[in-house]
Amino acid sequence: MIIKVCGMRDSENIRAVEKIGVDWMGFIFFPGSSRYVGEGLGYIPEKVKRVGVFVNEPLESVRVIASKNRLQIIQLHGNEPPGYCVSLKNAGFTIVKAFGIESGKPFPEELVEQYEGSCDYFLFDTRTAQHGGSGRKFHWKLLSSYRGETPFLLSGGIRAEDAVEVKGFNHAQFAGVDLNSGFETTPAIKDSIRLQNFIKTIRYEQD
């Protein structure tokens, strides 16, 4: 299972989280986010896959930022069309397209289907006006309606106490989790001990 920690910014905190066994680390390059990293990272981690999170950013700007910060994965949270995703994928990036899910509404099957084949992963998050980061969960049972072939990461308000539920979540395309606000002490600062305990439960503890 992929463990991704998103919304990182502080160099010392990045170093601490890098040491505990996460797979991917996300950095938000969207100025509207409270976890916005600015134009570049003070410390670029080497032991994780580096993910840049963007919202409706011009393609050339994404390429410049990705080069400067040595990003390997691009995560898109806006209205980027499939062709936009393909362009970045053809440039050698792993592409993650995020979709907001609302608990009171049906799974957006038709929208998601449009991106099959143009992305490497999907990310299912709680739908918000702020493009994610709400700390709220959606009903995971809605994902039973997803029958696509693209693997996905589960996001949306996952906390340390959800480890057992995450471990028991079952879907053929479930590839990992995206952790953010549920492990923060303040915006962009993660509690590495809580993260470490979560990872231990997910990966090492027996049922």
Side-chain angles (χ1 to χ4, degrees):
M1 181 188 297
I2 297 168
I3 305 290
K4 173 178 176 280
V5 177
C6 199
M8 302 296 294
R9 182 171 59 205
D10 177 79
S11 294
E12 290 307 310
N13 195 225
I14 292 171
R15 287 187 174 93
V17 172
E18 183 184 20
K19 295 176 182 177
I20 63 175
V22 304
D23 303 296
W24 296 3
M25 194 177 290
F27 309 98
I28 299 176
F29 293 94
F30 172 52
S33 171
S34 60
R35 300 166 183 87
Y36 176 52
V37 299
E39 294 184 3
L41 298 169
Y43 170 70
I44 298 176
E46 299 291 344
K47 296 179 180 179
V48 297
K49 293 286 184 69
R50 297 173 293 276
V51 185
V53 179
F54 298 90
V55 178
N56 299 324
E57 189 76 20
L59 275 170
E60 185 55 33
S61 178
V62 172
R63 293 189 182 103
V64 170
I65 293 170
S67 177
K68 179 178 180 180
N69 296 280
R70 294 191 284 120
L71 303 177
Q72 298 148 303
I73 303 170
I74 303 298
Q75 181 173 313
L76 304 170
H77 274 259
N79 301 314
E80 302 88 356
Y84 180 109
C85 302
V86 171
S87 179
L88 289 170
K89 187 174 181 179
N90 289 342
F93 297 104
T94 297
I95 304 301
V96 181
K97 182 70 179 79
F99 298 94
I101 308 299
E102 296 184 72
S103 290
K105 295 187 177 180
F107 179 80
E109 190 171 0
E110 291 185 5
L111 174 62
V112 173
E113 282 180 353
Q114 296 175 27
Y115 289 83
E116 283 284 352
S118 63
C119 303
D120 298 284
Y121 295 89
F122 294 150
L123 184 144
F124 297 128
D125 197 358
T126 304
R127 182 174 178 82
T128 70
Q130 291 76 37
H131 304 283
S134 68
R136 294 187 290 106
K137 293 180 187 175
F138 64 92
H139 292 314
W140 298 350
K141 64 182 181 180
L142 290 171
L143 298 181
S144 63
S145 297
Y146 173 58
R147 299 179 180 86
E149 297 181 359
T150 303
F152 69 84
L153 273 65
L154 184 63
S155 188
I158 298 173
R159 302 178 183 277
E161 56 267 29
D162 298 319
V164 173
E165 186 179 1
V166 169
K167 191 174 181 178
F169 180 73
N170 187 35
H171 190 290
Q173 299 299 345
F174 178 43
V177 290
D178 181 46
L179 311 175
N180 195 341
S181 59
F183 291 84
E184 287 185 335
T185 54
T186 58
I189 301 296
K190 304 300 188 291
D191 185 327
S192 61
I193 300 300
R194 272 195 288 163
L195 281 168
Q196 193 168 28
N197 289 336
F198 180 91
I199 293 170
K200 180 182 177 183
T201 300
I202 290 293
R203 288 187 168 156
Y204 307 116
E205 292 185 4
Q206 299 297 316
D207 294 329

